[in-house]
Amino acid sequence: MSLFLWEIAKRSSTPIKAAGAYPATLSLVAYTGTNPNHDARQLILGFTTNNSEMVYKFYLLDMNEDKPLYKDLGTLCGDQRFMDRKFEFFSLLDTQVLLTVSVKSDEVKTYPVVDKISLLDESLKFDTSKIELIKFSFEDIEQFDLLPPWMQRNIELSNEWQELNSTPD
C-alpha cells in the first residue's frame, strides 16, 4: 500500500464540541503530500467516537523520539514496529482508543484538539462493523470527490498533486 493512499471510513463529520475523554476508533489515515508551505510531509489521523463524532490530529512526518507522531504511534502499536521501513500507517485503521480532547478557540473558530491517545480498555470497546472504507491514491484519483472539501484543498496544494496535474511541455 502506497503512502499516497487514503483510507477513509464513511462516518458522520460532526466534530466533537466538548472537552472530555472519548472512546473512538482510528477511522482515517491520510497522507496529504508535500505542501510547498511546509518543510515536511503531512499526515492526518482521524478518529470517530462511539457517538459518530469526528476529531483529527495533524502531524508532520517527523519520526524523532521527541515528536508527537513517534509518541502516538508507539501508543497505537504498543511496540516500535512502526520504525520498520515496511510499516504501513493504514494497518492501524480500526484501532480503538481513548482520546483526551480539549476545545480551543481562536478569532475565527472553536475546534477540538486531541491532547492524548491511549489504548481503549477491552470493557469500553464498541461495534465498528459499519465502517465502509473509501480508498484514494494519487495513482487512482477516481474517488477524489468523495473526500471532504478541506482534504481536497490540502491535496490540491501538494507537490504530488501539482505534478500529477501538470501538462507535459
Side-chain angles (χ1 to χ4, degrees):
M1 194 177 294
S2 152
L3 263 183
F4 301 118
L5 184 66
W6 294 63
E7 292 197 31
I8 297 173
K10 281 186 177 177
R11 297 270 185 135
S12 166
S13 59
T14 305
I16 290 175
K17 295 181 175 74
Y22 293 87
T25 188
L26 179 60
S27 57
L28 177 146
V29 176
Y31 169 69
T32 61
T34 308
N35 187 311
N37 298 327
H38 301 283
D39 293 336
R41 296 174 294 163
Q42 298 173 67
L43 180 77
I44 301 171
L45 297 182
F47 299 91
T48 304
T49 70
N50 58 346
N51 295 323
S52 297
E53 296 171 303
M54 292 290 300
V55 64
Y56 302 95
K57 188 161 183 182
F58 298 80
Y59 301 90
L60 294 179
L61 278 177
D62 186 342
M63 293 301 291
N64 288 325
E65 289 183 21
D66 62 335
K67 299 296 181 188
L69 180 58
Y70 183 95
K71 293 174 182 175
D72 288 347
L73 286 177
T75 298
L76 290 167
C77 294
D79 57 33
Q80 290 195 341
R81 68 184 168 104
F82 63 88
M83 293 303 291
D84 183 341
R85 288 184 157 282
K86 296 178 185 171
F87 175 75
E88 296 182 12
F89 289 102
F90 311 112
S91 66
L92 298 173
L93 281 170
D94 249 359
T95 301
Q96 292 200 21
V97 297
L98 184 64
L99 300 176
T100 304
V101 177
S102 59
V103 177
K104 309 274 184 195
S105 294
D106 60 25
E107 303 81 40
V108 180
K109 62 183 176 179
T110 300
Y111 53 94
V113 175
V114 176
D115 294 321
K116 184 177 179 185
I117 300 172
S118 308
L119 289 179
L120 191 62
D121 184 88
E122 288 291 323
S123 65
L124 297 175
K125 292 204 172 179
F126 58 98
D127 182 22
T128 61
S129 62
K130 294 184 176 141
I131 295 175
E132 182 182 346
L133 297 178
I134 299 169
K135 295 183 179 183
F136 172 83
S137 73
F138 285 110
E139 293 87 17
D140 179 9
I141 61 172
E142 184 177 310
Q143 295 183 335
F144 180 77
D145 292 337
L146 299 176
L147 302 173
W150 64 269
M151 277 191 205
Q152 290 178 12
R153 287 189 296 276
N154 279 352
I155 293 171
E156 288 169 342
L157 292 173
S158 73
N159 293 336
E160 292 82 355
W161 183 264
Q162 297 300 318
E163 288 172 20
L164 183 66
N165 289 291
S166 65
T167 55
D169 294 334

mmCIF file of all heavy atoms in Angstrom, residues 76-112:
data_model
loop_
_atom_site.group_PDB
_atom_site.id
_atom_site.type_symbol
_atom_site.label_atom_id
_atom_site.label_comp_id
_atom_site.label_asym_id
_atom_site.label_seq_id
_atom_site.Cartn_x
_atom_site.Cartn_y
_atom_site.Cartn_z
ATOM 1 N N LEU A 76 -0.284 3.566 19.748
ATOM 2 C CA LEU A 76 -1.207 2.829 18.888
ATOM 3 C C LEU A 76 -0.705 1.426 18.564
ATOM 4 O O LEU A 76 -1.484 0.489 18.460
ATOM 5 C CB LEU A 76 -1.452 3.594 17.585
ATOM 6 C CG LEU A 76 -2.268 4.864 17.720
ATOM 7 C CD1 LEU A 76 -2.185 5.692 16.447
ATOM 8 C CD2 LEU A 76 -3.717 4.533 18.047
ATOM 9 N N CYS A 77 0.601 1.283 18.385
ATOM 10 C CA CYS A 77 1.181 -0.018 18.017
ATOM 11 C C CYS A 77 1.497 -0.866 19.230
ATOM 12 O O CYS A 77 1.540 -2.086 19.132
ATOM 13 C CB CYS A 77 2.468 0.180 17.226
ATOM 14 S SG CYS A 77 2.227 0.940 15.634
ATOM 15 N N GLY A 78 1.785 -0.238 20.344
ATOM 16 C CA GLY A 78 2.174 -0.980 21.524
ATOM 17 C C GLY A 78 3.609 -1.456 21.467
ATOM 18 O O GLY A 78 4.084 -2.134 22.355
ATOM 19 N N ASP A 79 4.311 -1.134 20.411
ATOM 20 C CA ASP A 79 5.714 -1.507 20.255
ATOM 21 C C ASP A 79 6.355 -0.553 19.246
ATOM 22 O O ASP A 79 5.762 0.451 18.876
ATOM 23 C CB ASP A 79 5.852 -2.957 19.791
ATOM 24 C CG ASP A 79 5.101 -3.226 18.489
ATOM 25 O OD1 ASP A 79 5.010 -2.319 17.640
ATOM 26 O OD2 ASP A 79 4.598 -4.340 18.312
ATOM 27 N N GLN A 80 7.543 -0.883 18.785
ATOM 28 C CA GLN A 80 8.227 0.005 17.844
ATOM 29 C C GLN A 80 8.241 -0.555 16.426
ATOM 30 O O GLN A 80 9.095 -0.212 15.635
ATOM 31 C CB GLN A 80 9.644 0.285 18.324
ATOM 32 C CG GLN A 80 9.666 1.160 19.548
ATOM 33 C CD GLN A 80 11.037 1.730 19.808
ATOM 34 O OE1 GLN A 80 12.038 1.247 19.314
ATOM 35 N NE2 GLN A 80 11.080 2.794 20.577
ATOM 36 N N ARG A 81 7.247 -1.392 16.080
ATOM 37 C CA ARG A 81 7.225 -1.943 14.727
ATOM 38 C C ARG A 81 7.045 -0.853 13.675
ATOM 39 O O ARG A 81 7.384 -1.039 12.525
ATOM 40 C CB ARG A 81 6.143 -3.016 14.595
ATOM 41 C CG ARG A 81 4.741 -2.503 14.686
ATOM 42 C CD ARG A 81 3.733 -3.660 14.648
ATOM 43 N NE ARG A 81 2.441 -3.174 15.011
ATOM 44 C CZ ARG A 81 1.456 -2.959 14.151
ATOM 45 N NH1 ARG A 81 1.629 -3.234 12.894
ATOM 46 N NH2 ARG A 81 0.297 -2.495 14.573
ATOM 47 N N PHE A 82 6.543 0.299 14.095
ATOM 48 C CA PHE A 82 6.356 1.395 13.141
ATOM 49 C C PHE A 82 7.688 1.969 12.654
ATOM 50 O O PHE A 82 7.732 2.703 11.684
ATOM 51 C CB PHE A 82 5.481 2.506 13.729
ATOM 52 C CG PHE A 82 6.065 3.180 14.941
ATOM 53 C CD1 PHE A 82 6.904 4.262 14.801
ATOM 54 C CD2 PHE A 82 5.755 2.727 16.214
ATOM 55 C CE1 PHE A 82 7.435 4.887 15.917
ATOM 56 C CE2 PHE A 82 6.272 3.347 17.326
ATOM 57 C CZ PHE A 82 7.126 4.427 17.179
ATOM 58 N N MET A 83 8.783 1.617 13.313
ATOM 59 C CA MET A 83 10.092 2.076 12.860
ATOM 60 C C MET A 83 10.614 1.244 11.689
ATOM 61 O O MET A 83 11.556 1.635 11.016
ATOM 62 C CB MET A 83 11.099 2.038 14.021
ATOM 63 C CG MET A 83 10.787 3.053 15.116
ATOM 64 S SD MET A 83 10.708 4.755 14.524
ATOM 65 C CE MET A 83 12.422 5.044 14.134
ATOM 66 N N ASP A 84 9.970 0.115 11.408
ATOM 67 C CA ASP A 84 10.336 -0.723 10.277
ATOM 68 C C ASP A 84 9.944 0.003 8.995
ATOM 69 O O ASP A 84 8.834 0.522 8.884
ATOM 70 C CB ASP A 84 9.588 -2.061 10.393
ATOM 71 C CG ASP A 84 9.953 -3.043 9.302
ATOM 72 O OD1 ASP A 84 10.490 -2.626 8.250
ATOM 73 O OD2 ASP A 84 9.695 -4.239 9.496
ATOM 74 N N ARG A 85 10.832 0.026 8.024
ATOM 75 C CA ARG A 85 10.558 0.711 6.758
ATOM 76 C C ARG A 85 9.312 0.154 6.049
ATOM 77 O O ARG A 85 8.701 0.820 5.243
ATOM 78 C CB ARG A 85 11.745 0.613 5.814
ATOM 79 C CG ARG A 85 12.914 1.455 6.222
ATOM 80 C CD ARG A 85 13.995 1.347 5.149
ATOM 81 N NE ARG A 85 14.901 2.467 5.158
ATOM 82 C CZ ARG A 85 14.645 3.658 4.661
ATOM 83 N NH1 ARG A 85 13.493 3.922 4.138
ATOM 84 N NH2 ARG A 85 15.551 4.612 4.685
ATOM 85 N N LYS A 86 8.942 -1.076 6.338
ATOM 86 C CA LYS A 86 7.796 -1.708 5.685
ATOM 87 C C LYS A 86 6.485 -1.428 6.413
ATOM 88 O O LYS A 86 5.429 -1.859 5.974
ATOM 89 C CB LYS A 86 8.024 -3.208 5.583
ATOM 90 C CG LYS A 86 9.191 -3.560 4.697
ATOM 91 C CD LYS A 86 9.414 -5.041 4.673
ATOM 92 C CE LYS A 86 10.667 -5.353 3.867
ATOM 93 N NZ LYS A 86 11.052 -6.744 3.971
ATOM 94 N N PHE A 87 6.532 -0.712 7.528
ATOM 95 C CA PHE A 87 5.329 -0.422 8.295
ATOM 96 C C PHE A 87 4.360 0.420 7.473
ATOM 97 O O PHE A 87 4.751 1.368 6.802
ATOM 98 C CB PHE A 87 5.686 0.326 9.589
ATOM 99 C CG PHE A 87 4.479 0.751 10.375
ATOM 100 C CD1 PHE A 87 3.755 -0.176 11.094
ATOM 101 C CD2 PHE A 87 4.062 2.064 10.371
ATOM 102 C CE1 PHE A 87 2.630 0.201 11.809
ATOM 103 C CE2 PHE A 87 2.942 2.458 11.083
ATOM 104 C CZ PHE A 87 2.233 1.521 11.801
ATOM 105 N N GLU A 88 3.090 0.062 7.513
ATOM 106 C CA GLU A 88 2.055 0.823 6.811
ATOM 107 C C GLU A 88 1.128 1.468 7.831
ATOM 108 O O GLU A 88 0.520 0.777 8.646
ATOM 109 C CB GLU A 88 1.266 -0.091 5.883
ATOM 110 C CG GLU A 88 2.114 -0.667 4.769
ATOM 111 C CD GLU A 88 1.310 -1.538 3.827
ATOM 112 O OE1 GLU A 88 0.072 -1.517 3.899
ATOM 113 O OE2 GLU A 88 1.941 -2.232 3.027
ATOM 114 N N PHE A 89 1.026 2.776 7.786
ATOM 115 C CA PHE A 89 0.148 3.509 8.698
ATOM 116 C C PHE A 89 -1.274 2.964 8.637
ATOM 117 O O PHE A 89 -1.985 2.937 9.621
ATOM 118 C CB PHE A 89 0.133 4.996 8.353
ATOM 119 C CG PHE A 89 1.391 5.719 8.682
ATOM 120 C CD1 PHE A 89 2.308 6.034 7.695
ATOM 121 C CD2 PHE A 89 1.681 6.083 9.980
ATOM 122 C CE1 PHE A 89 3.481 6.701 8.000
ATOM 123 C CE2 PHE A 89 2.840 6.750 10.305
ATOM 124 C CZ PHE A 89 3.749 7.062 9.304
ATOM 125 N N PHE A 90 -1.677 2.505 7.455
ATOM 126 C CA PHE A 90 -3.047 2.068 7.253
ATOM 127 C C PHE A 90 -3.385 0.807 8.028
ATOM 128 O O PHE A 90 -4.547 0.495 8.230
ATOM 129 C CB PHE A 90 -3.304 1.893 5.766
ATOM 130 C CG PHE A 90 -2.842 3.089 4.987
ATOM 131 C CD1 PHE A 90 -1.767 2.997 4.127
ATOM 132 C CD2 PHE A 90 -3.451 4.320 5.153
ATOM 133 C CE1 PHE A 90 -1.311 4.111 3.436
ATOM 134 C CE2 PHE A 90 -3.006 5.438 4.468
ATOM 135 C CZ PHE A 90 -1.938 5.332 3.601
ATOM 136 N N SER A 91 -2.376 0.089 8.485
ATOM 137 C CA SER A 91 -2.636 -1.114 9.278
ATOM 138 C C SER A 91 -3.235 -0.757 10.642
ATOM 139 O O SER A 91 -3.766 -1.618 11.331
ATOM 140 C CB SER A 91 -1.347 -1.925 9.466
ATOM 141 O OG SER A 91 -0.419 -1.208 10.263
ATOM 142 N N LEU A 92 -3.167 0.510 11.009
ATOM 143 C CA LEU A 92 -3.704 0.952 12.298
ATOM 144 C C LEU A 92 -5.196 1.285 12.247
ATOM 145 O O LEU A 92 -5.816 1.507 13.283
ATOM 146 C CB LEU A 92 -2.938 2.185 12.793
ATOM 147 C CG LEU A 92 -1.454 1.970 13.054
ATOM 148 C CD1 LEU A 92 -0.784 3.295 13.375
ATOM 149 C CD2 LEU A 92 -1.251 0.976 14.176
ATOM 150 N N LEU A 93 -5.770 1.328 11.045
ATOM 151 C CA LEU A 93 -7.197 1.630 10.929
ATOM 152 C C LEU A 93 -8.010 0.682 11.794
ATOM 153 O O LEU A 93 -7.718 -0.506 11.887
ATOM 154 C CB LEU A 93 -7.658 1.532 9.476
ATOM 155 C CG LEU A 93 -7.323 2.737 8.622
ATOM 156 C CD1 LEU A 93 -7.600 2.436 7.161
ATOM 157 C CD2 LEU A 93 -8.099 3.956 9.066
ATOM 158 N N ASP A 94 -9.015 1.211 12.409
ATOM 159 C CA ASP A 94 -9.936 0.480 13.296
ATOM 160 C C ASP A 94 -9.328 0.160 14.658
ATOM 161 O O ASP A 94 -9.936 -0.561 15.432
ATOM 162 C CB ASP A 94 -10.460 -0.795 12.636
ATOM 163 C CG ASP A 94 -11.941 -0.676 12.314
ATOM 164 O OD1 ASP A 94 -12.542 0.370 12.626
ATOM 165 O OD2 ASP A 94 -12.493 -1.621 11.756
ATOM 166 N N THR A 95 -8.169 0.725 14.970
ATOM 167 C CA THR A 95 -7.629 0.589 16.317
ATOM 168 C C THR A 95 -8.501 1.418 17.246
ATOM 169 O O THR A 95 -8.746 2.596 16.988
ATOM 170 C CB THR A 95 -6.162 1.093 16.392
ATOM 171 O OG1 THR A 95 -5.371 0.332 15.489
ATOM 172 C CG2 THR A 95 -5.613 0.982 17.795
ATOM 173 N N GLN A 96 -8.988 0.810 18.313
ATOM 174 C CA GLN A 96 -9.843 1.537 19.251
ATOM 175 C C GLN A 96 -8.991 2.185 20.332
ATOM 176 O O GLN A 96 -8.059 1.574 20.861
ATOM 177 C CB GLN A 96 -10.891 0.614 19.831
ATOM 178 C CG GLN A 96 -11.886 0.206 18.749
ATOM 179 C CD GLN A 96 -13.182 -0.280 19.310
ATOM 180 O OE1 GLN A 96 -13.564 -0.007 20.439
ATOM 181 N NE2 GLN A 96 -13.911 -1.010 18.480
ATOM 182 N N VAL A 97 -9.302 3.438 20.609
ATOM 183 C CA VAL A 97 -8.506 4.246 21.531
ATOM 184 C C VAL A 97 -9.402 5.029 22.477
ATOM 185 O O VAL A 97 -10.604 5.141 22.263
ATOM 186 C CB VAL A 97 -7.599 5.238 20.753
ATOM 187 C CG1 VAL A 97 -6.601 4.515 19.887
ATOM 188 C CG2 VAL A 97 -8.432 6.204 19.918
ATOM 189 N N LEU A 98 -8.789 5.589 23.493
ATOM 190 C CA LEU A 98 -9.446 6.555 24.360
ATOM 191 C C LEU A 98 -8.743 7.879 24.115
ATOM 192 O O LEU A 98 -7.526 7.997 24.300
ATOM 193 C CB LEU A 98 -9.333 6.154 25.834
ATOM 194 C CG LEU A 98 -10.072 7.066 26.808
ATOM 195 C CD1 LEU A 98 -11.584 7.003 26.556
ATOM 196 C CD2 LEU A 98 -9.759 6.684 28.236
ATOM 197 N N LEU A 99 -9.494 8.858 23.646
ATOM 198 C CA LEU A 99 -8.926 10.178 23.347
ATOM 199 C C LEU A 99 -9.220 11.134 24.487
ATOM 200 O O LEU A 99 -10.341 11.172 24.999
ATOM 201 C CB LEU A 99 -9.563 10.754 22.076
ATOM 202 C CG LEU A 99 -9.413 9.968 20.789
ATOM 203 C CD1 LEU A 99 -10.191 10.662 19.680
ATOM 204 C CD2 LEU A 99 -7.948 9.826 20.412
ATOM 205 N N THR A 100 -8.230 11.908 24.866
ATOM 206 C CA THR A 100 -8.448 13.029 25.764
ATOM 207 C C THR A 100 -8.453 14.266 24.873
ATOM 208 O O THR A 100 -7.472 14.543 24.179
ATOM 209 C CB THR A 100 -7.332 13.132 26.821
ATOM 210 O OG1 THR A 100 -7.263 11.885 27.517
ATOM 211 C CG2 THR A 100 -7.606 14.262 27.793
ATOM 212 N N VAL A 101 -9.586 14.957 24.864
ATOM 213 C CA VAL A 101 -9.796 16.067 23.933
ATOM 214 C C VAL A 101 -10.059 17.346 24.710
ATOM 215 O O VAL A 101 -10.807 17.349 25.684
ATOM 216 C CB VAL A 101 -10.998 15.760 22.999
ATOM 217 C CG1 VAL A 101 -11.293 16.924 22.076
ATOM 218 C CG2 VAL A 101 -10.737 14.487 22.198
ATOM 219 N N SER A 102 -9.419 18.427 24.264
ATOM 220 C CA SER A 102 -9.737 19.755 24.789
ATOM 221 C C SER A 102 -10.350 20.559 23.644
ATOM 222 O O SER A 102 -10.312 20.137 22.488
ATOM 223 C CB SER A 102 -8.481 20.448 25.326
ATOM 224 O OG SER A 102 -7.516 20.590 24.311
ATOM 225 N N VAL A 103 -10.939 21.675 23.975
ATOM 226 C CA VAL A 103 -11.541 22.539 22.965
ATOM 227 C C VAL A 103 -10.827 23.875 23.019
ATOM 228 O O VAL A 103 -10.694 24.483 24.076
ATOM 229 C CB VAL A 103 -13.061 22.699 23.202
ATOM 230 C CG1 VAL A 103 -13.665 23.657 22.202
ATOM 231 C CG2 VAL A 103 -13.755 21.340 23.121
ATOM 232 N N LYS A 104 -10.332 24.316 21.862
ATOM 233 C CA LYS A 104 -9.591 25.580 21.750
ATOM 234 C C LYS A 104 -10.391 26.552 20.899
ATOM 235 O O LYS A 104 -11.236 26.155 20.103
ATOM 236 C CB LYS A 104 -8.225 25.350 21.087
ATOM 237 C CG LYS A 104 -7.389 24.249 21.705
ATOM 238 C CD LYS A 104 -6.589 24.744 22.835
ATOM 239 C CE LYS A 104 -5.709 23.586 23.322
ATOM 240 N NZ LYS A 104 -5.130 23.719 24.546
ATOM 241 N N SER A 105 -10.101 27.831 21.060
ATOM 242 C CA SER A 105 -10.758 28.866 20.258
ATOM 243 C C SER A 105 -9.715 29.861 19.770
ATOM 244 O O SER A 105 -8.733 30.131 20.455
ATOM 245 C CB SER A 105 -11.801 29.620 21.079
ATOM 246 O OG SER A 105 -12.851 28.776 21.436
ATOM 247 N N ASP A 106 -9.952 30.357 18.577
ATOM 248 C CA ASP A 106 -9.175 31.489 18.089
ATOM 249 C C ASP A 106 -10.172 32.544 17.605
ATOM 250 O O ASP A 106 -11.361 32.430 17.865
ATOM 251 C CB ASP A 106 -8.167 31.068 17.002
ATOM 252 C CG ASP A 106 -8.821 30.438 15.778
ATOM 253 O OD1 ASP A 106 -10.011 30.708 15.509
ATOM 254 O OD2 ASP A 106 -8.138 29.670 15.078
ATOM 255 N N GLU A 107 -9.718 33.544 16.893
ATOM 256 C CA GLU A 107 -10.609 34.625 16.443
ATOM 257 C C GLU A 107 -11.673 34.123 15.474
ATOM 258 O O GLU A 107 -12.730 34.723 15.331
ATOM 259 C CB GLU A 107 -9.815 35.745 15.756
ATOM 260 C CG GLU A 107 -8.710 36.377 16.567
ATOM 261 C CD GLU A 107 -7.428 35.549 16.550
ATOM 262 O OE1 GLU A 107 -7.049 35.002 15.506
ATOM 263 O OE2 GLU A 107 -6.822 35.423 17.628
ATOM 264 N N VAL A 108 -11.390 33.005 14.790
ATOM 265 C CA VAL A 108 -12.260 32.533 13.723
ATOM 266 C C VAL A 108 -13.198 31.406 14.148
ATOM 267 O O VAL A 108 -14.368 31.389 13.784
ATOM 268 C CB VAL A 108 -11.398 32.062 12.516
ATOM 269 C CG1 VAL A 108 -12.271 31.559 11.388
ATOM 270 C CG2 VAL A 108 -10.485 33.179 12.050
ATOM 271 N N LYS A 109 -12.677 30.447 14.926
ATOM 272 C CA LYS A 109 -13.497 29.269 15.208
ATOM 273 C C LYS A 109 -13.115 28.601 16.529
ATOM 274 O O LYS A 109 -12.096 28.922 17.131
ATOM 275 C CB LYS A 109 -13.353 28.251 14.074
ATOM 276 C CG LYS A 109 -11.932 27.746 13.917
ATOM 277 C CD LYS A 109 -11.823 26.789 12.744
ATOM 278 C CE LYS A 109 -10.362 26.390 12.572
ATOM 279 N NZ LYS A 109 -10.144 25.482 11.509
ATOM 280 N N THR A 110 -13.960 27.694 16.943
ATOM 281 C CA THR A 110 -13.708 26.825 18.088
ATOM 282 C C THR A 110 -13.521 25.421 17.528
ATOM 283 O O THR A 110 -14.275 24.999 16.656
ATOM 284 C CB THR A 110 -14.896 26.859 19.059
ATOM 285 O OG1 THR A 110 -15.065 28.210 19.516
ATOM 286 C CG2 THR A 110 -14.677 25.949 20.242
ATOM 287 N N TYR A 111 -12.512 24.701 18.016
ATOM 288 C CA TYR A 111 -12.198 23.402 17.440
ATOM 289 C C TYR A 111 -11.647 22.457 18.506
ATOM 290 O O TYR A 111 -11.037 22.874 19.478
ATOM 291 C CB TYR A 111 -11.188 23.550 16.297
ATOM 292 C CG TYR A 111 -9.955 24.324 16.694
ATOM 293 C CD1 TYR A 111 -8.811 23.661 17.136
ATOM 294 C CD2 TYR A 111 -9.931 25.718 16.637
ATOM 295 C CE1 TYR A 111 -7.679 24.368 17.517
ATOM 296 C CE2 TYR A 111 -8.810 26.427 17.020
ATOM 297 C CZ TYR A 111 -7.689 25.743 17.455
ATOM 298 O OH TYR A 111 -6.570 26.450 17.844
ATOM 299 N N PRO A 112 -11.879 21.140 18.312
ATOM 300 C CA PRO A 112 -11.354 20.152 19.260
ATOM 301 C C PRO A 112 -9.885 19.855 18.977
ATOM 302 O O PRO A 112 -9.444 19.903 17.833
ATOM 303 C CB PRO A 112 -12.216 18.922 18.993
ATOM 304 C CG PRO A 112 -12.616 19.048 17.556
ATOM 305 C CD PRO A 112 -12.714 20.526 17.286
#
